[in-house]
Amino acid sequence: MSVLVNKNSKIIVQGFTGSEGTFHAGQMIDYGTNVVGGVTPGKGGQEHLGKPVFNTVAESVEKAGADTSIIFVPPAFAADAIMEAADAGIKVIICITEGIPTADMVKVKAYIANKDTRLVGPNCPGVITPDEAKVGIMPGFIFKKGKVGIVSKSGTLTYEAADQVVKQGFGITTAIGIGGDPIIGTTTKEAVEMLMNDPETEAIVMIGEIGGNLEAEAAQWIKADGNRKPVVGFIAGQTAPAGRTMGHAGAIVGGADDTAQAKMKILAENGIHVVSSPAKIGEMVASVLK
């Protein structure tokens, strides 16, 4: 059991023959991920990294049975790539692209709302189920199989948390990098909910940041759900000045509830084990699991 991706996922790479797509697809294949091909319009019929290249996502679904897509397409074309994948019946779409215009993502969100698909990202590191499938840009060697799920807006902090959890003697079930843009596919709450319902996940690490209300929504849901599994929380951006975008496009303090301090307070009030420094994530996971 795992969430989103596993060893049976049939993965295609959109933007397969570009430099980013080539590099990361190669890493994914080396990790053992079941990459069944890629899509680059106009290059269908060729072979790349020992895998077939298709002209369209629909063709990859028809000929290779693809059910999962990872997108390395430039920002101007990435929204179309997401909608094409949704149209073709891809079940899990993971978009790595950074810098997609917000107006484009508004259209994407509306377009996929009624489709049987789940979008992760954009501007995210992807999803990894250790020893089964790495669908993203994360360094695979850090992740070991285990019983802790990770949900994070930050790529770097995902790897940091995984490293600490592994060093404490616990591994990871699935790590989901949801991305830090203002409009994303899978929210913190939705990602947490998937891990709560995963029988192999015994604890969850939830990493958020300033801006927006995704962490508050997730925290309130966790409490309403009865705090079934311990959740360790960290909020990045504790020293960020109000009104300035920090790193991620969505990391901007708009109101009093968007600050790191306010979010940490909400998390704690809803029974989440909040740490004030990312260096303490592993220790806290160990203490809640012991």
Side-chain angles (χ1 to χ4, degrees), residues 78-164:
D80 278 347
I82 296 169
M83 292 188 281
E84 182 192 349
D87 246 359
I90 294 286
K91 295 288 180 260
V92 177
I93 304 168
I94 295 168
C95 185
I96 306 299
T97 309
E98 183 174 359
I100 301 177
T102 303
D104 285 7
M105 282 310 300
V106 170
K107 287 180 200 147
V108 167
K109 193 92 172 165
Y111 187 81
I112 65 172
N114 302 318
K115 303 240 183 245
D116 179 22
T117 189
R118 175 166 292 286
L119 170 65
V120 178
N123 186 15
C124 78
V127 180
I128 184 167
T129 296
D131 304 338
E132 293 196 36
K134 168 174 115 86
V135 192
I137 60 174
M138 62 287 286
F141 68 92
I142 289 173
F143 295 82
K144 302 281 180 278
K145 205 166 199 46
K147 54 188 180 183
V148 179
I150 299 178
V151 175
S152 175
K153 272 190 188 173
S154 157
T156 323
L157 288 174
T158 308
Y159 321 146
E160 177 61 36
D163 189 49
Q164 288 182 34

Side-chain angles (χ1 to χ4, degrees), residues 7-105:
K7 62 181 183 294
N8 299 318
S9 300
K10 292 182 174 174
I11 295 136
I12 51 152
V13 181
Q14 287 175 261
F16 190 32
T17 58
S19 58
E20 293 279 315
T22 298
F23 177 78
H24 290 295
Q27 301 265 313
M28 285 161 51
I29 292 164
D30 290 348
Y31 189 78
T33 307
N34 183 25
V35 176
V36 297
V39 176
T40 301
K43 293 194 177 176
Q46 297 181 16
E47 203 174 78
H48 186 59
L49 304 178
K51 307 287 179 186
V53 182
F54 303 101
N55 281 319
T56 64
V57 179
E59 192 187 349
S60 76
V61 172
E62 184 193 330
K63 294 183 178 167
D67 55 23
T68 303
S69 169
I70 180 166
I71 297 176
F72 293 103
V73 170
F77 312 107
D80 278 347
I82 296 169
M83 292 188 281
E84 182 192 349
D87 246 359
I90 294 286
K91 295 288 180 260
V92 177
I93 304 168
I94 295 168
C95 185
I96 306 299
T97 309
E98 183 174 359
I100 301 177
T102 303
D104 285 7
M105 282 310 300

